[in-house]
Amino acid sequence: MSNRHKTSEKYSGFEQGPIRPPSEAYSLLIRVTRNCPWNRCTFCPVYKGSRFSIRPVEHVKKDIDAVHRSVEMLRQMADESGRILRTELRKTAENNEQLDPQAFNAAMNWFSGGMSSVFIQDANSLIIKPDHLVEILIHLKNLFPWVERITSYARSHTIARIKDDNLKAIREAGLNRIHIGLESGSDQVLKMIKKGVTKQTQIKAGLKVIKAGMELSEYVMPGLGGKQLSKTHALETADALNQINPDFIRLRTLAIPNNVELYDDYEAGNFEKCTDLMIAKEVQLLIESLDGITSVFKSDHILNLFENLEGTLPRDKDRMLEIIRTFLEMSPERQCVYQVGRRLGFFSRLSDMESPHRLNKAEKTCKELGITPENVDEVIDELMKRFI
Ligand code: SF4
């Protein structure tokens, strides 16, 4: 161990953080930091009450080594028999003291998912020293040279402060996609939800990521401006995205759990939540205002109203807008059935209402629970909390 990595913290085995983007479901999760160094966004419940810390580089490398040992064993087993039974796997794990059980589990999931991508955790991995991140990435690439994609979450505020040369070195060491929680391009909204960053810094950070040769995924949060700032939120966010032209724009609709500051604002009457209908109109305005960019638009989160609101800009813009228009033109009763069916998993897109079986299930639920266009948004609020 080199002196600069000396630490008093004892290694206590392979670690994994609580979340990853939906698109990283098959990725190996490698935890470089714990929790979020900012931790003040008023809508975010993820790391509240947990202290931020940076894991020693040597510990992260030990995690990677532990996964590597497990992967080697899995590959050997697969080579000998052609397939691996889970029961056999568990027995192997129990009888091999060399294996870290958590790392073995992670390796099994990764192995069955094809081992093509790695996600660096937790909320803002780029906050560590660039040369430490480079060292970790090089170690990863050395042990798993076949990996095609290594990605991480990062805050715009952090990226904006990293030197271009350092970002480039991080890219060259293997990090090739960054997920940023842009949430909004409106300074008013960003201030209200304590994002700790301005529209200008968000744009600067996005452009820096692209300049460094990494793919950029920007998360947008419909509903975050509430009723009052809904229009500004849509227009300013579109303007920021038009200036960045990220590779991906991903929607994740606002839901407010009881344990966040925004819930207190809402209870106190300082934040008025948008209804599903308002959010549909907000997203319509956002998409209408996206101009001159070539991003892939994704709706890969269970909280979103339409799972198929996806496409490549500008080619699929009209098709995406048509989905929202169709919903907005439906009768309030039919909109209500769709909203409930979507939140209960009967529907993921409007065309699912053409299935008599699914439609019947959603209509029956509305009838049995007394859900009407008048009370549907209250019911939806409760259902959405299940998915946060
Ligand atoms: S920066 Fe991200 S993880 Fe941290 S509090 Fe804000 S939304 Fe949550």
Side-chain angles (χ1 to χ4, degrees):
M1 192 198 301
S2 62
N3 277 341
R4 72 199 164 93
H5 291 158
K6 262 193 181 149
T7 170
S8 55
E9 188 184 328
K10 223 174 132 254
Y11 181 68
S12 50
F14 181 84
E15 280 189 34
Q16 258 181 12
I19 61 162
R20 47 139 182 89
S23 55
E24 303 293 339
Y26 299 107
S27 301
L28 172 67
L29 308 181
I30 294 295
R31 193 176 208 187
V32 167
T33 65
R34 303 183 184 100
N35 311 314
C36 172
W38 174 246
N39 215 3
R40 288 183 225 173
C41 302
T42 64
F43 63 89
C44 173
V46 184
Y47 302 104
K48 294 290 179 286
S50 307
R51 264 189 60 208
F52 173 76
S53 63
I54 294 175
R55 297 187 69 213
V57 173
E58 295 306 324
H59 292 188
V60 180
K61 285 165 84 173
K62 277 186 184 175
D63 279 7
I64 297 169
D65 293 342
V67 174
H68 182 250
R69 276 194 297 277
S70 300
V71 164
E72 286 301 293
M73 177 164 292
L74 292 167
R75 287 183 126 182
Q76 236 176 24
M77 288 166 77
D79 285 349
E80 281 160 15
S81 65
R83 67 192 182 109
I84 323 174
L85 293 173
R86 282 230 163 208
T87 45
E88 197 184 320
L89 282 172
R90 299 221 183 279
K91 232 184 277 165
T92 310
E94 278 160 19
N95 296 335
N96 192 328
E97 284 172 8
Q98 290 260 297
L99 293 180
D100 175 323
Q102 306 300 330
F104 189 67
N105 251 328
M108 277 199 298
N109 291 333
W110 195 42
F111 189 82
S112 59
M115 298 197 293
S116 62
S117 56
V118 177
F119 178 69
I120 307 286
Q121 292 182 306
D122 279 344
N124 187 20
S125 324
L126 272 84
I127 200 155
I128 72 170
K129 290 192 175 126
D131 57 333
H132 287 189
L133 187 54
V134 165
E135 186 174 338
I136 290 166
L137 290 164
I138 289 173
H139 193 64
L140 250 177
K141 286 293 263 189
N142 280 345
L143 293 190
F144 308 117
W146 61 82
V147 163
E148 291 158 15
R149 201 178 77 215
I150 306 180
T151 76
S152 173
Y153 277 134
R155 288 188 71 222
S156 289
H157 186 265
T158 303
I159 291 177
R161 292 155 62 119
I162 301 176
K163 288 195 187 119
D164 283 350
D165 284 353
N166 285 335
L167 261 188
K168 208 164 152 242
I170 291 169
R171 163 68 190 102
E172 279 164 7
L175 191 78
N176 47 15
R177 183 182 296 176
I178 288 189
H179 300 271
I180 292 181
L182 176 94
E183 327 299 2
S184 178
S186 154
D187 278 333
Q188 268 177 289
V189 175
L190 292 169
K191 194 169 170 208
M192 177 183 75
I193 51 107
K194 299 187 185 162
K195 190 72 198 171
V197 70
T198 60
K199 175 185 182 182
Q200 228 21 65
T201 305
Q202 300 260 38
I203 296 169
K204 181 178 171 189
L207 293 175
K208 278 179 74 127
V209 170
I210 294 169
K211 190 175 163 201
M214 300 181 203
E215 283 187 324
L216 173 64
S217 186
E218 296 273 13
Y219 279 82
V220 171
M221 189 166 275
L224 193 58
K227 285 183 187 170
Q228 214 189 345
L229 297 176
S230 176
K231 197 170 166 200
T232 312
H233 177 38
L235 292 174
E236 291 290 300
T237 302
D239 184 51
L241 293 168
N242 288 343
Q243 293 189 53
I244 300 170
N245 192 12
D247 297 275
F248 301 94
I249 298 169
R250 294 189 140 96
L251 296 188
R252 182 203 184 280
T253 305
L254 173 73
I256 313 178
N258 301 352
N259 59 340
V260 297
E261 207 180 318
L262 192 59
Y263 183 78
D264 301 335
D265 293 339
Y266 165 64
E267 284 284 281
N270 299 329
F271 181 83
E272 281 187 274
K273 264 193 246 184
C274 291
T275 61
D276 269 351
L277 220 66
M278 288 172 188
I279 288 182
K281 285 183 187 159
E282 184 181 296
V283 175
Q284 184 181 42
L285 181 59
L286 169 80
I287 297 176
E288 275 169 359
S289 311
L290 291 173
D291 190 23
I293 57 173
T294 52
S295 313
V296 172
F297 196 93
K298 304 285 274 180
S299 179
D300 52 359
H301 202 285
I302 188 76
L303 291 170
N304 299 335
L305 201 50
F306 314 105
E307 201 181 275
N308 61 332
L309 197 65
E310 299 201 331
T312 303
L313 295 166
R315 191 189 64 201
D316 300 320
K317 186 169 169 173
D318 288 343
R319 186 181 51 73
M320 292 195 288
L321 287 171
E322 183 56 30
I323 294 170
I324 303 177
R325 220 171 5 247
T326 305
F327 174 73
L328 292 174
E329 284 170 2
M330 284 174 7
S331 69
E333 290 72 25
R334 203 165 158 80
Q335 284 171 343
C336 168
V337 171
Y338 178 74
Q339 288 171 255
V340 171
R342 167 67 182 141
R343 305 307 179 193
L344 290 175
F346 305 147
F347 308 137
S348 64
R349 58 194 66 209
L350 293 174
S351 59
D352 289 342
M353 293 182 92
E354 285 159 25
S355 151
H357 175 64
R358 293 184 196 201
L359 183 62
N360 188 28
K361 269 165 84 174
E363 285 177 337
K364 211 170 140 207
T365 308
C366 289
K367 215 168 165 189
E368 280 173 4
L369 301 179
I371 307 171
T372 63
E374 285 70 43
N375 66 12
V376 65
D377 281 290
E378 280 164 47
V379 180
I380 294 293
D381 269 355
E382 286 310 311
L383 290 175
M384 281 172 82
K385 282 181 195 157
R386 293 189 201 171
F387 300 122
I388 304 174

